Amino acid sequence: MPPPDEARNANARDIISQMPQRKDNIRIMTAQITFEIQAEASVYVTAPREDVWKAVADLARRPNLTSCSPLAGDWPDETASVRVTMNKGSFEMSRIETVIRCVPEEQLLVKIEAPGWGSTAWLDHRIEHDGDRCRLTIGAIAIAVFPEGKGPASRDEYAAMTLAGLQDAVAEYRRRIEAGAA
């Protein structure tokens, strides 16, 4: 009886020899780089808390949303999920969003999965009452995997891109809400 390592190697050789030897069976693995970041942006909105909540919780009012289709539950109830397409400027991103936590007029925490882009994120929308205005904060924790040489050059660049996107989003929410077009 051959030693265990030799038996395993022989078995592996047998399996490999039985596989069709076509070029389309060959996959070239490329190096990947993973970035994990956290960022948040805030803005004061001169509007009642319920108006800010309506803008945040209603997918039809979301900045940069180009399409949306429900997958499960009623948005923004906890565990509801939707497939959305977002205009990211130079490209569109399709992703699945799931509500993790919903406290009306206070918090909407959403998990975002975009496997086609190698990313997972959590967006935490928080609304705090402050006199005759509200503070809207959107925080993000994101993990993204890029083929080496593609995407941002560094974690800092990815964090800066994320922060800029959050700042644009809260500014657009403020503009729309204060204009009454939320």
Side-chain angles (χ1 to χ4, degrees):
M1 183 163 177
D5 286 345
E6 285 183 31
R8 270 194 304 272
N9 289 342
N11 188 33
R13 281 192 297 276
D14 288 345
I15 291 170
I16 291 170
S17 69
Q18 294 171 19
M19 292 175 63
Q21 297 301 309
R22 301 184 334 215
K23 284 188 175 185
D24 59 352
N25 282 346
I26 299 171
R27 272 182 46 177
I28 298 173
M29 299 299 290
T30 58
Q32 296 180 331
I33 187 159
T34 301
F35 295 125
E36 300 172 354
I37 58 95
Q38 185 277 328
E40 72 175 31
S42 294
V43 67
Y44 283 97
V45 181
T46 305
R49 186 180 210 159
E50 55 271 11
D51 290 353
V52 178
W53 173 253
K54 286 176 187 174
V56 167
D58 185 352
L59 288 167
R61 298 177 177 183
R62 183 176 302 166
N64 305 319
L65 182 82
T66 59
S67 70
C68 172
S69 57
L71 298 174
D74 295 319
W75 195 270
D77 293 346
E78 290 180 5
T79 72
S81 63
V82 294
R83 179 179 313 278
V84 301
T85 301
M86 301 293 291
N87 180 344
K88 295 295 203 171
S90 60
F91 64 95
E92 286 195 337
M93 176 186 277
S94 210
R95 59 198 202 184
I96 295 174
E97 299 188 5
T98 304
V99 177
I100 303 300
R101 181 171 166 84
C102 176
V103 180
E105 298 186 19
E106 289 183 23
Q107 181 186 29
L108 181 63
L109 176 61
V110 178
K111 180 180 181 185
I112 298 171
E113 298 172 282
W117 294 91
S119 69
T120 301
W122 292 262
L123 285 181
D124 189 11
H125 305 75
R126 297 180 311 277
I127 304 166
E128 302 167 73
H129 183 71
D130 185 10
D132 63 344
R133 61 187 186 162
C134 294
R135 179 178 176 170
L136 171 61
T137 301
I138 304 177
I141 296 174
I143 303 166
V145 179
F146 299 95
E148 196 166 347
K150 305 282 185 186
S154 68
R155 179 184 178 279
D156 288 342
E157 183 179 329
Y158 181 54
M161 289 169 44
T162 301
L163 178 58
L166 294 173
Q167 289 169 332
D168 290 347
V170 294
E172 182 62 16
Y173 273 121
R174 180 180 62 202
R175 187 191 68 73
R176 290 180 179 194
I177 295 165
E178 290 179 353

